[in-house]
PDB file of all heavy atoms in Angstrom:
ATOM      1  N   PRO Q   1     -24.347 -63.589 -18.687  1.00 67.00           N
ATOM      2  CA  PRO Q   1     -25.813 -63.559 -18.701  1.00 67.00           C
ATOM      3  C   PRO Q   1     -26.297 -62.118 -18.770  1.00 67.00           C
ATOM      4  O   PRO Q   1     -25.577 -61.182 -18.431  1.00 67.00           O
ATOM      5  CB  PRO Q   1     -26.185 -64.215 -17.368  1.00 67.00           C
ATOM      6  CG  PRO Q   1     -25.000 -64.016 -16.496  1.00 67.00           C
ATOM      7  CD  PRO Q   1     -23.807 -64.028 -17.410  1.00 67.00           C
ATOM      8  N   ALA Q   2     -27.496 -61.933 -19.198  1.00 71.00           N
ATOM      9  CA  ALA Q   2     -28.060 -60.593 -19.348  1.00 71.00           C
ATOM     10  C   ALA Q   2     -28.124 -59.835 -18.021  1.00 71.00           C
ATOM     11  O   ALA Q   2     -28.038 -58.614 -17.991  1.00 71.00           O
ATOM     12  CB  ALA Q   2     -29.455 -60.685 -19.965  1.00 71.00           C
ATOM     13  N   CYS Q   3     -28.249 -60.574 -16.915  1.00 74.00           N
ATOM     14  CA  CYS Q   3     -28.388 -59.913 -15.618  1.00 74.00           C
ATOM     15  C   CYS Q   3     -27.057 -59.770 -14.878  1.00 74.00           C
ATOM     16  O   CYS Q   3     -27.043 -59.427 -13.707  1.00 74.00           O
ATOM     17  CB  CYS Q   3     -29.387 -60.678 -14.753  1.00 74.00           C
ATOM     18  SG  CYS Q   3     -28.830 -62.346 -14.363  1.00 74.00           S
ATOM     19  N   ALA Q   4     -25.922 -60.047 -15.519  1.00 70.00           N
ATOM     20  CA  ALA Q   4     -24.616 -59.988 -14.844  1.00 70.00           C
ATOM     21  C   ALA Q   4     -24.273 -58.549 -14.483  1.00 70.00           C
ATOM     22  O   ALA Q   4     -24.254 -57.680 -15.351  1.00 70.00           O
ATOM     23  CB  ALA Q   4     -23.533 -60.559 -15.744  1.00 70.00           C
ATOM     24  N   PRO Q   5     -24.019 -58.272 -13.197  1.00 72.00           N
ATOM     25  CA  PRO Q   5     -23.638 -56.911 -12.818  1.00 72.00           C
ATOM     26  C   PRO Q   5     -22.176 -56.665 -13.183  1.00 72.00           C
ATOM     27  O   PRO Q   5     -21.351 -57.564 -13.096  1.00 72.00           O
ATOM     28  CB  PRO Q   5     -23.824 -56.902 -11.302  1.00 72.00           C
ATOM     29  CG  PRO Q   5     -23.632 -58.321 -10.897  1.00 72.00           C
ATOM     30  CD  PRO Q   5     -24.131 -59.164 -12.043  1.00 72.00           C
ATOM     31  N   LEU Q   6     -21.873 -55.487 -13.616  1.00 71.00           N
ATOM     32  CA  LEU Q   6     -20.489 -55.104 -13.875  1.00 71.00           C
ATOM     33  C   LEU Q   6     -19.973 -54.347 -12.672  1.00 71.00           C
ATOM     34  O   LEU Q   6     -20.692 -53.563 -12.058  1.00 71.00           O
ATOM     35  CB  LEU Q   6     -20.397 -54.251 -15.136  1.00 71.00           C
ATOM     36  CG  LEU Q   6     -20.761 -54.965 -16.431  1.00 71.00           C
ATOM     37  CD1 LEU Q   6     -20.671 -53.991 -17.599  1.00 71.00           C
ATOM     38  CD2 LEU Q   6     -19.853 -56.156 -16.666  1.00 71.00           C
ATOM     39  N   ALA Q   7     -18.725 -54.578 -12.330  1.00 71.00           N
ATOM     40  CA  ALA Q   7     -18.135 -53.943 -11.158  1.00 71.00           C
ATOM     41  C   ALA Q   7     -17.378 -52.689 -11.563  1.00 71.00           C
ATOM     42  O   ALA Q   7     -16.806 -52.618 -12.646  1.00 71.00           O
ATOM     43  CB  ALA Q   7     -17.192 -54.915 -10.468  1.00 71.00           C
ATOM     44  N   ASN Q   8     -17.387 -51.715 -10.705  1.00 71.00           N
ATOM     45  CA  ASN Q   8     -16.558 -50.535 -10.832  1.00 71.00           C
ATOM     46  C   ASN Q   8     -15.484 -50.639  -9.768  1.00 71.00           C
ATOM     47  O   ASN Q   8     -15.739 -50.361  -8.597  1.00 71.00           O
ATOM     48  CB  ASN Q   8     -17.367 -49.257 -10.596  1.00 71.00           C
ATOM     49  CG  ASN Q   8     -17.818 -48.620 -11.860  1.00 71.00           C
ATOM     50  OD1 ASN Q   8     -17.245 -48.877 -12.913  1.00 71.00           O
ATOM     51  ND2 ASN Q   8     -18.830 -47.787 -11.769  1.00 71.00           N
ATOM     52  N   PRO Q   9     -14.268 -51.044 -10.126  1.00 71.00           N
ATOM     53  CA  PRO Q   9     -13.233 -51.185  -9.098  1.00 71.00           C
ATOM     54  C   PRO Q   9     -12.764 -49.821  -8.614  1.00 71.00           C
ATOM     55  O   PRO Q   9     -12.787 -48.842  -9.356  1.00 71.00           O
ATOM     56  CB  PRO Q   9     -12.117 -51.921  -9.817  1.00 71.00           C
ATOM     57  CG  PRO Q   9     -12.316 -51.593 -11.249  1.00 71.00           C
ATOM     58  CD  PRO Q   9     -13.794 -51.408 -11.440  1.00 71.00           C
ATOM     59  N   TYR Q  10     -12.341 -49.796  -7.366  1.00 68.00           N
ATOM     60  CA  TYR Q  10     -11.770 -48.585  -6.798  1.00 68.00           C
ATOM     61  C   TYR Q  10     -10.379 -48.940  -6.306  1.00 68.00           C
ATOM     62  O   TYR Q  10     -10.212 -49.874  -5.523  1.00 68.00           O
ATOM     63  CB  TYR Q  10     -12.606 -48.057  -5.635  1.00 68.00           C
ATOM     64  CG  TYR Q  10     -11.884 -46.970  -4.862  1.00 68.00           C
ATOM     65  CD1 TYR Q  10     -11.749 -45.685  -5.387  1.00 68.00           C
ATOM     66  CD2 TYR Q  10     -11.312 -47.235  -3.629  1.00 68.00           C
ATOM     67  CE1 TYR Q  10     -11.073 -44.699  -4.713  1.00 68.00           C
ATOM     68  CE2 TYR Q  10     -10.631 -46.248  -2.943  1.00 68.00           C
ATOM     69  CZ  TYR Q  10     -10.510 -44.976  -3.492  1.00 68.00           C
ATOM     70  OH  TYR Q  10      -9.830 -43.997  -2.816  1.00 68.00           O
ATOM     71  N   VAL Q  11      -9.388 -48.237  -6.782  1.00 65.00           N
ATOM     72  CA  VAL Q  11      -8.023 -48.436  -6.335  1.00 65.00           C
ATOM     73  C   VAL Q  11      -7.567 -47.129  -5.699  1.00 65.00           C
ATOM     74  O   VAL Q  11      -7.555 -46.090  -6.371  1.00 65.00           O
ATOM     75  CB  VAL Q  11      -7.094 -48.812  -7.514  1.00 65.00           C
ATOM     76  CG1 VAL Q  11      -5.662 -48.971  -7.036  1.00 65.00           C
ATOM     77  CG2 VAL Q  11      -7.598 -50.072  -8.194  1.00 65.00           C
ATOM     78  N   PRO Q  12      -7.198 -47.164  -4.408  1.00 64.00           N
ATOM     79  CA  PRO Q  12      -6.764 -45.928  -3.757  1.00 64.00           C
ATOM     80  C   PRO Q  12      -5.550 -45.334  -4.460  1.00 64.00           C
ATOM     81  O   PRO Q  12      -4.665 -46.059  -4.902  1.00 64.00           O
ATOM     82  CB  PRO Q  12      -6.407 -46.364  -2.335  1.00 64.00           C
ATOM     83  CG  PRO Q  12      -7.086 -47.664  -2.141  1.00 64.00           C
ATOM     84  CD  PRO Q  12      -7.193 -48.300  -3.494  1.00 64.00           C
ATOM     85  N   PHE Q  13      -5.503 -44.022  -4.581  1.00 69.00           N
ATOM     86  CA  PHE Q  13      -4.382 -43.327  -5.181  1.00 69.00           C
ATOM     87  C   PHE Q  13      -3.327 -43.116  -4.111  1.00 69.00           C
ATOM     88  O   PHE Q  13      -3.614 -42.615  -3.032  1.00 69.00           O
ATOM     89  CB  PHE Q  13      -4.845 -41.984  -5.748  1.00 69.00           C
ATOM     90  CG  PHE Q  13      -3.759 -41.218  -6.425  1.00 69.00           C
ATOM     91  CD1 PHE Q  13      -3.372 -41.542  -7.712  1.00 69.00           C
ATOM     92  CD2 PHE Q  13      -3.112 -40.180  -5.776  1.00 69.00           C
ATOM     93  CE1 PHE Q  13      -2.371 -40.846  -8.343  1.00 69.00           C
ATOM     94  CE2 PHE Q  13      -2.118 -39.479  -6.400  1.00 69.00           C
ATOM     95  CZ  PHE Q  13      -1.735 -39.808  -7.689  1.00 69.00           C
ATOM     96  N   GLN Q  14      -2.100 -43.495  -4.414  1.00 70.00           N
ATOM     97  CA  GLN Q  14      -1.019 -43.378  -3.452  1.00 70.00           C
ATOM     98  C   GLN Q  14      -0.268 -42.068  -3.686  1.00 70.00           C
ATOM     99  O   GLN Q  14       0.205 -41.795  -4.777  1.00 70.00           O
ATOM    100  CB  GLN Q  14      -0.071 -44.559  -3.622  1.00 70.00           C
ATOM    101  CG  GLN Q  14       0.554 -44.992  -2.362  1.00 70.00           C
ATOM    102  CD  GLN Q  14       1.246 -46.338  -2.539  1.00 70.00           C
ATOM    103  OE1 GLN Q  14       1.218 -46.938  -3.586  1.00 70.00           O
ATOM    104  NE2 GLN Q  14       1.850 -46.795  -1.488  1.00 70.00           N
ATOM    105  N   ARG Q  15      -0.189 -41.251  -2.668  1.00 73.00           N
ATOM    106  CA  ARG Q  15       0.464 -39.946  -2.786  1.00 73.00           C
ATOM    107  C   ARG Q  15       1.942 -40.050  -2.430  1.00 73.00           C
ATOM    108  O   ARG Q  15       2.361 -40.974  -1.764  1.00 73.00           O
ATOM    109  CB  ARG Q  15      -0.216 -38.947  -1.854  1.00 73.00           C
ATOM    110  CG  ARG Q  15      -1.680 -38.769  -2.150  1.00 73.00           C
ATOM    111  CD  ARG Q  15      -2.310 -37.785  -1.159  1.00 73.00           C
ATOM    112  NE  ARG Q  15      -3.743 -37.826  -1.220  1.00 73.00           N
ATOM    113  CZ  ARG Q  15      -4.480 -37.162  -2.091  1.00 73.00           C
ATOM    114  NH1 ARG Q  15      -3.900 -36.413  -2.983  1.00 73.00           N
ATOM    115  NH2 ARG Q  15      -5.788 -37.251  -2.080  1.00 73.00           N
ATOM    116  N   GLU Q  16       2.717 -39.044  -2.868  1.00 74.00           N
ATOM    117  CA  GLU Q  16       4.123 -38.947  -2.481  1.00 74.00           C
ATOM    118  C   GLU Q  16       4.213 -38.793  -0.962  1.00 74.00           C
ATOM    119  O   GLU Q  16       3.333 -38.213  -0.341  1.00 74.00           O
ATOM    120  CB  GLU Q  16       4.780 -37.730  -3.143  1.00 74.00           C
ATOM    121  CG  GLU Q  16       4.899 -37.821  -4.634  1.00 74.00           C
ATOM    122  CD  GLU Q  16       6.118 -38.580  -5.103  1.00 74.00           C
ATOM    123  OE1 GLU Q  16       7.146 -38.579  -4.404  1.00 74.00           O
ATOM    124  OE2 GLU Q  16       6.030 -39.209  -6.171  1.00 74.00           O
ATOM    125  N   SER Q  17       5.278 -39.281  -0.385  1.00 73.00           N
ATOM    126  CA  SER Q  17       5.529 -39.193   1.058  1.00 73.00           C
ATOM    127  C   SER Q  17       4.343 -39.715   1.861  1.00 73.00           C
ATOM    128  O   SER Q  17       3.957 -39.138   2.879  1.00 73.00           O
ATOM    129  CB  SER Q  17       5.849 -37.759   1.476  1.00 73.00           C
ATOM    130  OG  SER Q  17       6.981 -37.292   0.783  1.00 73.00           O
ATOM    131  N   ALA Q  18       3.778 -40.820   1.416  1.00 74.00           N
ATOM    132  CA  ALA Q  18       2.641 -41.410   2.116  1.00 74.00           C
ATOM    133  C   ALA Q  18       3.049 -41.906   3.496  1.00 74.00           C
ATOM    134  O   ALA Q  18       4.186 -42.313   3.715  1.00 74.00           O
ATOM    135  CB  ALA Q  18       2.086 -42.576   1.295  1.00 74.00           C
ATOM    136  N   GLU Q  19       2.110 -41.855   4.434  1.00 83.00           N
ATOM    137  CA  GLU Q  19       2.336 -42.378   5.776  1.00 83.00           C
ATOM    138  C   GLU Q  19       2.681 -43.860   5.662  1.00 83.00           C
ATOM    139  O   GLU Q  19       2.171 -44.565   4.796  1.00 83.00           O
ATOM    140  CB  GLU Q  19       1.076 -42.184   6.608  1.00 83.00           C
ATOM    141  CG  GLU Q  19       1.218 -42.640   8.045  1.00 83.00           C
ATOM    142  CD  GLU Q  19      -0.084 -42.475   8.822  1.00 83.00           C
ATOM    143  OE1 GLU Q  19      -0.991 -41.790   8.344  1.00 83.00           O
ATOM    144  OE2 GLU Q  19      -0.167 -43.063   9.897  1.00 83.00           O
ATOM    145  N   LYS Q  20       3.551 -44.347   6.556  1.00 87.00           N
ATOM    146  CA  LYS Q  20       3.976 -45.740   6.499  1.00 87.00           C
ATOM    147  C   LYS Q  20       3.890 -46.384   7.880  1.00 87.00           C
ATOM    148  O   LYS Q  20       4.131 -45.744   8.887  1.00 87.00           O
ATOM    149  CB  LYS Q  20       5.410 -45.837   5.973  1.00 87.00           C
ATOM    150  CG  LYS Q  20       5.556 -45.368   4.542  1.00 87.00           C
ATOM    151  CD  LYS Q  20       7.004 -45.082   4.201  1.00 87.00           C
ATOM    152  CE  LYS Q  20       7.133 -44.299   2.928  1.00 87.00           C
ATOM    153  NZ  LYS Q  20       6.711 -42.916   3.037  1.00 87.00           N
ATOM    154  N   TYR Q  21       3.529 -47.676   7.892  1.00 87.00           N
ATOM    155  CA  TYR Q  21       3.586 -48.451   9.131  1.00 87.00           C
ATOM    156  C   TYR Q  21       5.046 -48.778   9.442  1.00 87.00           C
ATOM    157  O   TYR Q  21       5.897 -48.788   8.557  1.00 87.00           O
ATOM    158  CB  TYR Q  21       2.852 -49.781   8.973  1.00 87.00           C
ATOM    159  CG  TYR Q  21       1.350 -49.730   8.978  1.00 87.00           C
ATOM    160  CD1 TYR Q  21       0.623 -50.406   8.008  1.00 87.00           C
ATOM    161  CD2 TYR Q  21       0.651 -49.057   9.963  1.00 87.00           C
ATOM    162  CE1 TYR Q  21      -0.766 -50.403   8.012  1.00 87.00           C
ATOM    163  CE2 TYR Q  21      -0.738 -49.044   9.984  1.00 87.00           C
ATOM    164  CZ  TYR Q  21      -1.433 -49.719   9.003  1.00 87.00           C
ATOM    165  OH  TYR Q  21      -2.805 -49.713   9.012  1.00 87.00           O
ATOM    166  N   GLU Q  22       5.321 -49.099  10.701  1.00 88.00           N
ATOM    167  CA  GLU Q  22       6.611 -49.681  11.054  1.00 88.00           C
ATOM    168  C   GLU Q  22       6.687 -51.048  10.381  1.00 88.00           C
ATOM    169  O   GLU Q  22       5.664 -51.680  10.111  1.00 88.00           O
ATOM    170  CB  GLU Q  22       6.733 -49.841  12.579  1.00 88.00           C
ATOM    171  CG  GLU Q  22       6.811 -48.535  13.325  1.00 88.00           C
ATOM    172  CD  GLU Q  22       8.100 -47.783  13.027  1.00 88.00           C
ATOM    173  OE1 GLU Q  22       9.166 -48.429  12.931  1.00 88.00           O
ATOM    174  OE2 GLU Q  22       8.031 -46.556  12.877  1.00 88.00           O
ATOM    175  N   ALA Q  23       7.895 -51.552  10.124  1.00 87.00           N
ATOM    176  CA  ALA Q  23       8.076 -52.801   9.379  1.00 87.00           C
ATOM    177  C   ALA Q  23       7.324 -53.972  10.009  1.00 87.00           C
ATOM    178  O   ALA Q  23       6.641 -54.727   9.317  1.00 87.00           O
ATOM    179  CB  ALA Q  23       9.561 -53.139   9.258  1.00 87.00           C
ATOM    180  N   SER Q  24       7.403 -54.114  11.334  1.00 85.00           N
ATOM    181  CA  SER Q  24       6.739 -55.252  11.988  1.00 85.00           C
ATOM    182  C   SER Q  24       5.216 -55.151  11.867  1.00 85.00           C
ATOM    183  O   SER Q  24       4.534 -56.151  11.668  1.00 85.00           O
ATOM    184  CB  SER Q  24       7.149 -55.353  13.456  1.00 85.00           C
ATOM    185  OG  SER Q  24       6.811 -54.158  14.142  1.00 85.00           O
ATOM    186  N   ASN Q  25       4.685 -53.948  11.959  1.00 85.00           N
ATOM    187  CA  ASN Q  25       3.242 -53.761  11.827  1.00 85.00           C
ATOM    188  C   ASN Q  25       2.800 -53.948  10.371  1.00 85.00           C
ATOM    189  O   ASN Q  25       1.706 -54.435  10.106  1.00 85.00           O
ATOM    190  CB  ASN Q  25       2.835 -52.383  12.338  1.00 85.00           C
ATOM    191  CG  ASN Q  25       1.369 -52.306  12.698  1.00 85.00           C
ATOM    192  OD1 ASN Q  25       0.719 -53.322  12.929  1.00 85.00           O
ATOM    193  ND2 ASN Q  25       0.843 -51.101  12.733  1.00 85.00           N
ATOM    194  N   ALA Q  26       3.661 -53.579   9.427  1.00 87.00           N
ATOM    195  CA  ALA Q  26       3.334 -53.755   8.006  1.00 87.00           C
ATOM    196  C   ALA Q  26       3.165 -55.229   7.672  1.00 87.00           C
ATOM    197  O   ALA Q  26       2.245 -55.603   6.937  1.00 87.00           O
ATOM    198  CB  ALA Q  26       4.433 -53.139   7.139  1.00 87.00           C
ATOM    199  N   LEU Q  27       4.024 -56.076   8.203  1.00 86.00           N
ATOM    200  CA  LEU Q  27       3.920 -57.510   7.959  1.00 86.00           C
ATOM    201  C   LEU Q  27       2.601 -58.049   8.498  1.00 86.00           C
ATOM    202  O   LEU Q  27       1.917 -58.837   7.838  1.00 86.00           O
ATOM    203  CB  LEU Q  27       5.095 -58.259   8.604  1.00 86.00           C
ATOM    204  CG  LEU Q  27       5.114 -59.769   8.413  1.00 86.00           C
ATOM    205  CD1 LEU Q  27       5.240 -60.129   6.938  1.00 86.00           C
ATOM    206  CD2 LEU Q  27       6.250 -60.385   9.207  1.00 86.00           C
ATOM    207  N   ILE Q  28       2.195 -57.590   9.647  1.00 83.00           N
ATOM    208  CA  ILE Q  28       0.942 -58.026  10.255  1.00 83.00           C
ATOM    209  C   ILE Q  28      -0.253 -57.555   9.424  1.00 83.00           C
ATOM    210  O   ILE Q  28      -1.187 -58.314   9.173  1.00 83.00           O
ATOM    211  CB  ILE Q  28       0.812 -57.455  11.688  1.00 83.00           C
ATOM    212  CG1 ILE Q  28       1.877 -58.054  12.584  1.00 83.00           C
ATOM    213  CG2 ILE Q  28      -0.569 -57.718  12.266  1.00 83.00           C
ATOM    214  CD1 ILE Q  28       2.051 -57.298  13.880  1.00 83.00           C
ATOM    215  N   ARG Q  29      -0.219 -56.289   8.977  1.00 83.00           N
ATOM    216  CA  ARG Q  29      -1.351 -55.702   8.254  1.00 83.00           C
ATOM    217  C   ARG Q  29      -1.402 -56.101   6.782  1.00 83.00           C
ATOM    218  O   ARG Q  29      -2.422 -55.970   6.138  1.00 83.00           O
ATOM    219  CB  ARG Q  29      -1.310 -54.178   8.361  1.00 83.00           C
ATOM    220  CG  ARG Q  29      -1.393 -53.630   9.782  1.00 83.00           C
ATOM    221  CD  ARG Q  29      -2.628 -54.086  10.491  1.00 83.00           C
ATOM    222  NE  ARG Q  29      -3.807 -53.618   9.801  1.00 83.00           N
ATOM    223  CZ  ARG Q  29      -4.815 -52.990  10.354  1.00 83.00           C
ATOM    224  NH1 ARG Q  29      -4.806 -52.766  11.641  1.00 83.00           N
ATOM    225  NH2 ARG Q  29      -5.858 -52.619   9.640  1.00 83.00           N
ATOM    226  N   GLY Q  30      -0.267 -56.550   6.234  1.00 84.00           N
ATOM    227  CA  GLY Q  30      -0.249 -56.956   4.832  1.00 84.00           C
ATOM    228  C   GLY Q  30       0.033 -55.821   3.871  1.00 84.00           C
ATOM    229  O   GLY Q  30      -0.035 -55.993   2.666  1.00 84.00           O
ATOM    230  N   THR Q  31       0.391 -54.666   4.398  1.00 85.00           N
ATOM    231  CA  THR Q  31       0.781 -53.520   3.578  1.00 85.00           C
ATOM    232  C   THR Q  31       1.603 -52.569   4.426  1.00 85.00           C
ATOM    233  O   THR Q  31       1.434 -52.502   5.642  1.00 85.00           O
ATOM    234  CB  THR Q  31      -0.439 -52.770   2.983  1.00 85.00           C
ATOM    235  OG1 THR Q  31       0.040 -51.698   2.159  1.00 85.00           O
ATOM    236  CG2 THR Q  31      -1.358 -52.226   4.052  1.00 85.00           C
ATOM    237  N   LEU Q  32       2.490 -51.850   3.778  1.00 86.00           N
ATOM    238  CA  LEU Q  32       3.297 -50.856   4.474  1.00 86.00           C
ATOM    239  C   LEU Q  32       2.546 -49.538   4.618  1.00 86.00           C
ATOM    240  O   LEU Q  32       2.855 -48.718   5.457  1.00 86.00           O
ATOM    241  CB  LEU Q  32       4.611 -50.642   3.694  1.00 86.00           C
ATOM    242  CG  LEU Q  32       5.643 -49.704   4.285  1.00 86.00           C
ATOM    243  CD1 LEU Q  32       6.163 -50.245   5.610  1.00 86.00           C
ATOM    244  CD2 LEU Q  32       6.789 -49.504   3.321  1.00 86.00           C
ATOM    245  N   PHE Q  33       1.519 -49.365   3.808  1.00 85.00           N
ATOM    246  CA  PHE Q  33       0.845 -48.078   3.708  1.00 85.00           C
ATOM    247  C   PHE Q  33      -0.556 -48.116   4.306  1.00 85.00           C
ATOM    248  O   PHE Q  33      -1.440 -48.796   3.793  1.00 85.00           O
ATOM    249  CB  PHE Q  33       0.776 -47.652   2.246  1.00 85.00           C
ATOM    250  CG  PHE Q  33       2.128 -47.584   1.615  1.00 85.00           C
ATOM    251  CD1 PHE Q  33       2.600 -48.641   0.856  1.00 85.00           C
ATOM    252  CD2 PHE Q  33       2.937 -46.482   1.811  1.00 85.00           C
ATOM    253  CE1 PHE Q  33       3.863 -48.593   0.290  1.00 85.00           C
ATOM    254  CE2 PHE Q  33       4.203 -46.426   1.249  1.00 85.00           C
ATOM    255  CZ  PHE Q  33       4.671 -47.485   0.489  1.00 85.00           C
ATOM    256  N   PRO Q  34      -0.791 -47.366   5.394  1.00 84.00           N
ATOM    257  CA  PRO Q  34      -2.124 -47.338   6.004  1.00 84.00           C
ATOM    258  C   PRO Q  34      -3.227 -46.942   5.027  1.00 84.00           C
ATOM    259  O   PRO Q  34      -4.353 -47.431   5.127  1.00 84.00           O
ATOM    260  CB  PRO Q  34      -1.986 -46.298   7.124  1.00 84.00           C
ATOM    261  CG  PRO Q  34      -0.534 -46.293   7.464  1.00 84.00           C
ATOM    262  CD  PRO Q  34       0.174 -46.558   6.156  1.00 84.00           C
ATOM    263  N   GLY Q  35      -2.923 -46.103   4.054  1.00 79.00           N
ATOM    264  CA  GLY Q  35      -3.925 -45.693   3.081  1.00 79.00           C
ATOM    265  C   GLY Q  35      -4.396 -46.826   2.185  1.00 79.00           C
ATOM    266  O   GLY Q  35      -5.443 -46.743   1.565  1.00 79.00           O
ATOM    267  N   LEU Q  36      -3.622 -47.896   2.096  1.00 79.00           N
ATOM    268  CA  LEU Q  36      -3.991 -49.057   1.291  1.00 79.00           C
ATOM    269  C   LEU Q  36      -4.483 -50.210   2.163  1.00 79.00           C
ATOM    270  O   LEU Q  36      -4.778 -51.283   1.658  1.00 79.00           O
ATOM    271  CB  LEU Q  36      -2.794 -49.538   0.458  1.00 79.00           C
ATOM    272  CG  LEU Q  36      -2.220 -48.528  -0.523  1.00 79.00           C
ATOM    273  CD1 LEU Q  36      -1.034 -49.136  -1.267  1.00 79.00           C
ATOM    274  CD2 LEU Q  36      -3.275 -48.039  -1.493  1.00 79.00           C
ATOM    275  N   ASP Q  37      -4.556 -49.993   3.450  1.00 78.00           N
ATOM    276  CA  ASP Q  37      -4.948 -51.042   4.396  1.00 78.00           C
ATOM    277  C   ASP Q  37      -6.472 -51.142   4.427  1.00 78.00           C
ATOM    278  O   ASP Q  37      -7.144 -50.390   5.123  1.00 78.00           O
ATOM    279  CB  ASP Q  37      -4.397 -50.715   5.788  1.00 78.00           C
ATOM    280  CG  ASP Q  37      -4.557 -51.862   6.768  1.00 78.00           C
ATOM    281  OD1 ASP Q  37      -5.105 -52.907   6.387  1.00 78.00           O
ATOM    282  OD2 ASP Q  37      -4.121 -51.702   7.919  1.00 78.00           O
ATOM    283  N   LEU Q  38      -6.997 -52.052   3.652  1.00 75.00           N
ATOM    284  CA  LEU Q  38      -8.437 -52.259   3.574  1.00 75.00           C
ATOM    285  C   LEU Q  38      -8.735 -53.685   4.018  1.00 75.00           C
ATOM    286  O   LEU Q  38      -8.776 -54.605   3.203  1.00 75.00           O
ATOM    287  CB  LEU Q  38      -8.916 -52.020   2.141  1.00 75.00           C
ATOM    288  CG  LEU Q  38      -8.535 -50.659   1.553  1.00 75.00           C
ATOM    289  CD1 LEU Q  38      -8.832 -50.608   0.066  1.00 75.00           C
ATOM    290  CD2 LEU Q  38      -9.229 -49.544   2.294  1.00 75.00           C
ATOM    291  N   PRO Q  39      -8.908 -53.910   5.328  1.00 73.00           N
ATOM    292  CA  PRO Q  39      -9.100 -55.267   5.838  1.00 73.00           C
ATOM    293  C   PRO Q  39     -10.303 -55.958   5.212  1.00 73.00           C
ATOM    294  O   PRO Q  39     -11.361 -55.351   5.041  1.00 73.00           O
ATOM    295  CB  PRO Q  39      -9.321 -55.068   7.339  1.00 73.00           C
ATOM    296  CG  PRO Q  39      -8.775 -53.720   7.635  1.00 73.00           C
ATOM    297  CD  PRO Q  39      -8.955 -52.914   6.379  1.00 73.00           C
ATOM    298  N   PHE Q  40     -10.134 -57.216   4.876  1.00 72.00           N
ATOM    299  CA  PHE Q  40     -11.194 -58.012   4.284  1.00 72.00           C
ATOM    300  C   PHE Q  40     -12.287 -58.249   5.313  1.00 72.00           C
ATOM    301  O   PHE Q  40     -12.035 -58.786   6.381  1.00 72.00           O
ATOM    302  CB  PHE Q  40     -10.638 -59.341   3.783  1.00 72.00           C
ATOM    303  CG  PHE Q  40     -11.672 -60.232   3.170  1.00 72.00           C
ATOM    304  CD1 PHE Q  40     -12.262 -59.906   1.963  1.00 72.00           C
ATOM    305  CD2 PHE Q  40     -12.060 -61.399   3.804  1.00 72.00           C
ATOM    306  CE1 PHE Q  40     -13.221 -60.720   1.397  1.00 72.00           C
ATOM    307  CE2 PHE Q  40     -13.017 -62.233   3.246  1.00 72.00           C
ATOM    308  CZ  PHE Q  40     -13.598 -61.883   2.037  1.00 72.00           C
ATOM    309  N   MET Q  41     -13.485 -57.818   5.014  1.00 71.00           N
ATOM    310  CA  MET Q  41     -14.656 -57.980   5.879  1.00 71.00           C
ATOM    311  C   MET Q  41     -14.406 -57.472   7.298  1.00 71.00           C
ATOM    312  O   MET Q  41     -14.907 -58.015   8.271  1.00 71.00           O
ATOM    313  CB  MET Q  41     -15.092 -59.446   5.893  1.00 71.00           C
ATOM    314  CG  MET Q  41     -15.524 -59.939   4.516  1.00 71.00           C
ATOM    315  SD  MET Q  41     -16.117 -61.617   4.482  1.00 71.00           S
ATOM    316  CE  MET Q  41     -17.645 -61.441   5.391  1.00 71.00           C
ATOM    317  N   GLY Q  42     -13.567 -56.443   7.419  1.00 72.00           N
ATOM    318  CA  GLY Q  42     -13.299 -55.831   8.712  1.00 72.00           C
ATOM    319  C   GLY Q  42     -12.393 -56.637   9.625  1.00 72.00           C
ATOM    320  O   GLY Q  42     -12.170 -56.257  10.762  1.00 72.00           O
ATOM    321  N   LEU Q  43     -11.856 -57.753   9.141  1.00 73.00           N
ATOM    322  CA  LEU Q  43     -10.982 -58.593   9.962  1.00 73.00           C
ATOM    323  C   LEU Q  43      -9.564 -58.051   9.920  1.00 73.00           C
ATOM    324  O   LEU Q  43      -9.033 -57.749   8.857  1.00 73.00           O
ATOM    325  CB  LEU Q  43     -11.007 -60.036   9.465  1.00 73.00           C
ATOM    326  CG  LEU Q  43     -12.374 -60.716   9.466  1.00 73.00           C
ATOM    327  CD1 LEU Q  43     -12.270 -62.099   8.842  1.00 73.00           C
ATOM    328  CD2 LEU Q  43     -12.919 -60.811  10.876  1.00 73.00           C
ATOM    329  N   VAL Q  44      -8.938 -57.939  11.086  1.00 73.00           N
ATOM    330  CA  VAL Q  44      -7.598 -57.395  11.181  1.00 73.00           C
ATOM    331  C   VAL Q  44      -6.707 -58.382  11.925  1.00 73.00           C
ATOM    332  O   VAL Q  44      -7.038 -58.827  13.018  1.00 73.00           O
ATOM    333  CB  VAL Q  44      -7.609 -56.042  11.932  1.00 73.00           C
ATOM    334  CG1 VAL Q  44      -6.207 -55.516  12.110  1.00 73.00           C
ATOM    335  CG2 VAL Q  44      -8.473 -55.038  11.190  1.00 73.00           C
TER     336      VAL Q  44
END
């Protein structure tokens, strides 16, 4: 439709030697990398 908004996605850039969660915490958070941990609607 003429009024459809277009999205600009943002994907975090992952750096070398990025900080990492411990394995058990990574499973809980859904990612090994805190820099990519973007909880849905603030729910953790």
Side-chain angles (χ1 to χ4, degrees):
C3 64
L6 294 178
N8 263 339
Y10 169 74
V11 178
F13 182 79
Q14 213 168 358
R15 301 178 193 276
E16 293 276 330
S17 301
E19 182 182 346
K20 295 163 194 72
Y21 285 132
E22 292 293 320
S24 59
N25 201 20
L27 181 63
I28 294 165
R29 300 303 299 230
T31 182
L32 184 64
F33 303 98
L36 300 179
D37 190 359
L38 305 170
F40 179 69
M41 298 183 69
L43 301 175
V44 176

